[in-house]
Structures are given as structure tokens and as C-alpha cells.
Amino acid sequence: MIKKVVLSFPVDATDRSLMYDLVKRYDIRINILKAEIEAGKSGKLLVELEADELLLEQGLVFLTDNGVTVSPLASKISYDESRCINCGNCASACFSHALTIGEPDWKLKFNPEKCIVCKLCLKSCPLKLFRIEFSE
Ligand code: SF4
Ligand code: SF4
């Protein structure tokens, strides 16, 4: 089974060998599609995980037990465009550049194709315009 997920690592988990453990203990093949991790800071990985279904689920529980937030990609982000003041906070926070703002009109643009559902925009918008929708 193959699953695409975003793994959000807390500050104290980025230096640990959790991904190595995932391979060794659960025989999960990991394809890192995008990474942003710095020692001493929280980090994010967009990964494709491939393994036997049971081992994959056990591996994800192992990550969760170690403080990693696992977000399935079967969820999507939307926002209330009509109330947006184009402050750009969300675009600055957007890990994958799904949200951008700039010339010529300095209006927020959202490209859902690039969204990896990391949820950073939910916290960054002062007007709380973002919401997350889940689907199977
Ligand atoms: S969840 Fe928000 S911040 Fe994260 S990639 Fe999608 S639009 Fe960007
Ligand atoms: S943070 Fe909120 S108000 Fe600011 S540009 Fe993004 S959606 Fe608009």
C-alpha cells in the first residue's frame, strides 16, 4: 500500500532518527517528496510511504507516539476569499508556495495543486479565514 502524508516534527523530534526507525522496524519504503527540517527547529516532510498495510499503520502510530503530526493528503484547504485583506501572512507561512502574493496586483493567489495540507495557513491568518476539509 502507498500513502502520501505530511509529517510535522516538533522541535525535540527533528534530531532523532525516527525515519531510520520507520525503515528498520516497520519495513516502510520512504520517498521524500519535499523536506524542510533544520536542527533546533520544527520541520516538515512530504513523503510517500510504501509498505504492507498493517506495518504502515503501525509505523504511523509509532511516529504519532513520538510527537510527529501525520496529516493525510485526503484533506484540502479552503479560505474565505471575500474577507481577505491581502496581508500576505499566509503566503509567508506557506511551505509549498500554494499561497502567493506579489506583483502586479498584490492579491493573494491560491493554487490548490501545490497545497500539501500542512495547515500553517490556518494559524497564520489574523482573520482566521482558512479551514480544512477532509475527504476519503
Ligand atoms: S495548508 Fe496552507 S500553508 Fe500549507 S501548503 Fe496548503 S495553503 Fe500552504
Ligand atoms: S493571512 Fe488571511 S487575510 Fe492575510 S492574505 Fe492570507 S487569507 Fe488574506
Side-chain angles (χ1 to χ4, degrees):
M1 150 178 222
I2 296 177
K3 214 171 193 172
K4 262 190 205 173
V5 293
V6 177
L7 306 176
S8 303
F9 294 81
V11 173
D12 64 345
T14 51
D15 290 335
R16 284 190 255 142
S17 55
L18 293 176
M19 303 310 281
Y20 175 77
D21 288 344
L22 211 57
V23 174
K24 290 297 281 183
R25 290 192 198 184
Y26 302 99
D27 196 24
I28 295 177
R29 286 169 294 286
I30 303 169
N31 181 17
I32 297 177
L33 303 173
K34 194 165 179 81
E36 192 175 86
I37 294 186
E38 290 177 52
K41 294 185 180 173
S42 57
K44 290 190 177 293
L45 285 180
L46 169 60
V47 292
E48 194 173 70
L49 304 175
E50 184 175 2
D52 168 83
E53 186 172 355
L54 182 61
L55 286 172
L56 187 52
E57 289 310 317
Q58 288 174 346
L60 292 177
V61 169
F62 164 76
L63 287 178
T64 305
D65 287 347
N66 280 278
V68 178
T69 303
V70 180
S71 305
L73 278 189
S75 52
K76 67 176 186 179
I77 292 290
S78 64
Y79 79 106
D80 184 351
E81 193 174 345
S82 66
R83 294 178 53 216
C84 176
I85 56 172
N86 299 298
C87 69
N89 275 5
C90 58
S92 299
C94 183
F95 174 60
S96 67
H97 305 295
L99 292 162
T100 53
I101 194 164
E103 293 176 342
D105 58 3
W106 294 93
K107 290 204 165 159
L108 184 68
K109 311 261 182 329
F110 178 44
N111 181 350
E113 297 290 315
K114 289 188 173 177
C115 177
I116 58 169
V117 199
C118 66
K119 304 178 200 164
L120 289 176
C121 52
L122 274 75
K123 294 179 194 155
S124 68
C125 178
L127 303 182
K128 306 287 177 219
L129 299 185
F130 289 91
R131 65 193 174 96
I132 187 161
E133 298 169 6
F134 295 95
S135 60
E136 296 271 330

